[in-house]
Amino acid sequence: MAAVSSPTNDSSGPNSTSHSTTKSTEKAESTGNPSGEAQLPEVLGWDSTGSTYRVSHVRIPPAMDVPMTDRVRRIVDSPAMRRLASISQLGLVSLVYPGATHSRLEHSLGVYANALAVLRQLTGSIDVIRNPVSKEASLAQQAFLVAALLHDAGHWPFCHPIEDMGAAFPHDGGIKTMKHEDRVESMLRSGPLSDCLAEDWDCGVDDVMAILRPKTYPDRPKCRLSESDASFFASCLSGPIDIDKLDYLQRDSLHAGVPYGRNFDPDRIVAAFRAHPTKPKLAIIEKGRTAAEMMVFGRYVMFSEVYWHHAVRAATAMLQRAIYELHQPSRQSSRPSQASGSGQGIDLAAWADESDAKWIERLQDSAQASGDVGIQTLVDGLFGPQRRLLKRIAQFNVESGDPVHQRLARRPYQWLVQCSLRLAERVNRELDLNVPAELILVDAPPAKLEVDINIDVINRSNKVLTLGDVSPVASVLANRQFDNHVKRVRVFAPAEVRTVLGERFPDSDSTIEQWLLEVADELVD
């Protein structure tokens, strides 16, 4: 594996007397120096006191200076990246944790800084000690840095809740198959980011995308990275413990005002990073075990108390249902600007480049134009002048309601909608109410599971074990599916439903459980 080179800081190099790094010099230095050692100005410039390169810095919370070379600055200043400043990292979480309004741009800069830290740490720990360092190594490193910077550039407002709906749209207009990683590829193929890549970097589009979407590697004949390099750097960016999670756990915790995602030692984890001895992926050595298990547990608590907080999930279920209903042909807007070109309801793909504020405005206009009181109530409850979230009337996980969780978890979103509609009929009939069907919602874990938490650990005898093998905490979370504990099945409804339900049925959880199982059995799988 020629993934990580051994950068040097040779004061006699071609830039020893320069006070700034030009575009051409940055690219030239990235391709290697006469001695055959690949150098990246970004890595060398991390420590401005000891570097021959003068770099600027951008300050992001918490007191982090992110080094910027000219070519990195050009990417960060591109329209695609600047747009991320108007996209919230946590979306609807701010309805519950008001401080959680940080942007995807801030997170992207944090991930890029982590990528630099990983390159510095892994210098000399991979095969490059035994094999010649070449331009190939620099190419892989450059692709990794660009991938880290751009990994979220394709996000649109409230991207993850929409992606979790999967193939929920029978006339998808592009949404059913739209993935934010694919949008990054489109940006790299044409436009300002394409120009940046061609002019400033040695890596190409397929090199970067092989890291962002490693499963597509066989379909990328123009990719110049080896398959092992692509796989290794992909695992650094998306794996059990990776540079993305190292950033978002701490950053989300900081802005939400909770301690759960900050109770681990990220520097210790980075210091423990190594290349797996037999596989092209990231591993840790034994000294990072405690920090790793604390990170894994912190992630578990962040999902339980922040990302899947019951009120956050109420807001998420409301948004998903409003989008689903407005996307139906019967909900076609009376305003041509709100409808899709094919007359099939709202066109979410056409909204993908909007800021949060503009996206919300378009959703509100579409809800108003629909004339549907239920849809309007959902959208106004989320984005109107007064927050009005639906209330939790029941919840089930593998401990408290395993039959319901087993029956409803990871079902297609359309199936959950049908389940919600039948449950709404049952609730209105049993409680003598007339609640709009769109306001009684069943929320369940989506089909996609969270990534495995079991990173490989290299012990002092150079034997490879999983984190679960050496950590009782990780063992429990790994062997008893992470998602089944933090992601619950919940039912949300207006406050009046909760009140009447409690009055008519003192054991309301058992009542809802019975109704849910009955309506689920009525549906064809």
Side-chain angles (χ1 to χ4, degrees):
M1 181 189 301
V4 178
S5 66
S6 180
T8 63
N9 187 16
D10 184 359
S11 61
S12 64
N15 282 34
S16 60
T17 60
S18 174
H19 294 291
S20 63
T21 305
T22 65
K23 175 168 61 177
S24 60
T25 301
E26 286 172 346
K27 189 168 184 177
E29 287 299 328
S30 296
T31 63
N33 61 26
S35 66
E37 294 177 321
Q39 299 186 65
L40 290 187
E42 292 77 19
V43 177
L44 294 174
W46 177 266
D47 179 8
S48 59
T49 62
S51 173
T52 58
Y53 301 97
R54 191 179 72 177
V55 297
S56 61
H57 291 82
V58 171
R59 174 63 68 95
I60 60 174
M64 176 186 288
D65 285 327
V66 181
M68 293 273 178
T69 57
D70 287 347
R71 63 180 180 179
V72 169
R73 173 72 70 177
R74 279 187 284 274
I75 289 179
V76 172
D77 286 344
S78 68
M81 289 296 286
R82 290 306 309 165
R83 185 184 67 90
L84 295 185
S86 66
I87 305 294
S88 170
Q89 171 74 7
L90 291 184
L92 297 169
V93 171
S94 65
L95 292 173
V96 180
Y97 294 96
T101 58
H102 53 301
S103 71
R104 287 207 172 270
L105 177 60
E106 181 184 322
H107 165 64
S108 297
L109 292 173
V111 174
Y112 160 69
N114 285 342
L116 292 177
V118 166
L119 289 180
R120 286 171 58 84
Q121 167 58 29
L122 292 179
T123 295
S125 71
I126 301 183
D127 288 353
V128 295
I129 291 179
R130 297 179 294 276
N131 298 327
V133 178
S134 65
K135 183 176 178 178
E136 180 187 351
S138 172
L139 187 73
Q141 293 178 56
Q142 290 183 63
F144 176 52
L145 289 186
V146 174
L149 266 174
L150 298 180
H151 78 286
D152 273 355
H155 271 269
W156 59 89
F158 311 104
C159 179
H160 286 309
I162 296 172
E163 287 185 324
D164 283 346
M165 296 170 72
F169 308 106
H171 49 281
D172 63 90
I175 277 292
K176 182 164 67 175
T177 56
M178 187 169 73
K179 298 182 182 297
H180 67 267
E181 298 93 346
D182 292 335
R183 281 169 46 80
V184 174
E185 181 162 5
S186 296
M187 295 172 185
L188 286 172
R189 297 236 177 247
S190 64
L193 281 180
S194 176
D195 296 339
C196 288
L197 197 65
E199 295 172 9
D200 300 340
W201 302 81
D202 295 303
C203 56
V205 177
D206 288 298
D207 303 322
V208 175
M209 292 308 303
I211 293 174
L212 289 176
R213 298 199 68 187
K215 290 182 179 180
T216 67
Y217 181 87
D219 303 320
R220 299 186 181 278
K222 293 184 179 180
C223 179
R224 291 168 292 167
L225 275 59
S226 68
E227 187 170 8
S228 62
D229 281 359
S231 297
F232 174 77
F233 280 120
S235 74
C236 293
L237 190 54
S238 180
I241 292 179
D242 57 48
I243 60 174
D244 185 33
K245 295 177 186 66
L246 279 174
D247 183 80
Y248 79 63
L249 287 175
Q250 298 177 88
R251 195 167 306 285
D252 294 351
S253 181
L254 172 71
H255 288 286
V258 298
Y260 317 124
R262 291 177 286 164
N263 287 334
F264 68 93
D265 187 346
D267 293 337
R268 184 73 168 179
I269 291 175
V270 171
F273 279 158
R274 296 292 187 275
H276 194 286
T278 61
K279 300 177 182 178
K281 66 178 184 177
L282 190 66
I284 61 171
I285 58 174
E286 195 169 15
K287 75 175 185 179
R289 177 186 62 82
T290 300
E293 64 184 343
M294 290 179 70
M295 178 180 171
V296 165
F297 185 72
R299 181 163 168 260
Y300 166 80
V301 180
M302 283 293 288
F303 267 91
S304 177
E305 303 303 314
V306 178
Y307 308 136
W308 273 70
H309 184 284
H310 67 88
V312 173
R313 291 309 301 177
T316 301
M318 292 167 67
L319 178 66
Q320 289 176 327
R321 186 59 177 274
I323 290 171
Y324 181 85
E325 295 294 340
L326 287 170
H327 205 272
Q328 306 307 308
S330 60
R331 307 295 189 187
Q332 182 176 331
S333 171
S334 60
R335 305 178 189 180
S337 63
Q338 303 302 329
S340 68
S342 58
Q344 300 292 324
I346 62 172
D347 183 1
L348 288 174
W351 298 9
D353 290 325
E354 303 287 13
S355 65
D356 278 4
K358 182 62 177 178
W359 194 96
I360 291 169
E361 180 184 334
R362 297 186 73 164
L363 185 70
Q364 290 174 314
D365 287 347
S366 298
Q368 187 64 32
S370 74
D372 187 287
V373 174
I375 296 174
Q376 291 170 357
T377 300
L378 292 173
V379 174
D380 288 346
L382 293 172
F383 305 118
Q386 183 175 356
R387 189 193 81 153
R388 294 184 183 276
L389 300 183
L390 297 179
K391 304 301 181 183
R392 173 182 51 176
I393 63 173
Q395 73 175 17
F396 311 93
N397 59 15
V398 291
E399 288 91 4
S400 64
D402 185 52
V404 171
H405 195 277
Q406 188 175 44
R407 192 78 174 88
L408 274 67
R410 288 175 281 283
R411 288 283 188 171
Y413 186 78
Q414 308 97 300
W415 190 94
L416 288 177
V417 170
Q418 295 304 312
C419 186
S420 298
L421 289 171
R422 297 199 181 203
L423 181 63
E425 292 177 4
R426 183 71 177 268
V427 167
N428 280 325
R429 183 173 68 250
E430 296 283 355
L431 303 183
D432 298 320
L433 296 173
N434 189 29
V435 177
E438 300 94 338
L439 301 186
I440 297 179
L441 306 177
V442 177
D443 180 49
K448 182 181 178 181
L449 292 171
E450 289 300 317
V451 72
D452 180 25
I453 63 175
N454 240 347
I455 193 169
D456 284 340
V457 179
I458 307 167
N459 69 13
R460 291 190 177 115
S461 302
N462 212 36
K463 181 179 180 182
V464 178
L465 304 167
T466 67
L467 184 61
D469 292 330
V470 298
S471 163
V473 173
S475 177
V476 170
L477 293 176
N479 295 324
R480 301 176 64 187
Q481 178 51 244
F482 180 96
D483 287 50
N484 290 341
H485 294 270
V486 298
K487 298 182 178 180
R488 297 170 171 83
V489 172
R490 294 183 172 108
V491 179
F492 300 107
E496 64 173 314
V497 174
R498 185 170 66 178
T499 300
V500 175
L501 180 67
E503 292 172 350
R504 299 276 184 90
F505 301 95
D507 189 1
S508 58
D509 272 9
S510 295
T511 300
I512 294 295
E513 179 177 6
Q514 177 186 340
W515 293 352
L516 268 178
L517 290 173
E518 289 175 0
V519 299
D521 288 341
E522 295 171 4
L523 295 172
V524 177
D525 289 339

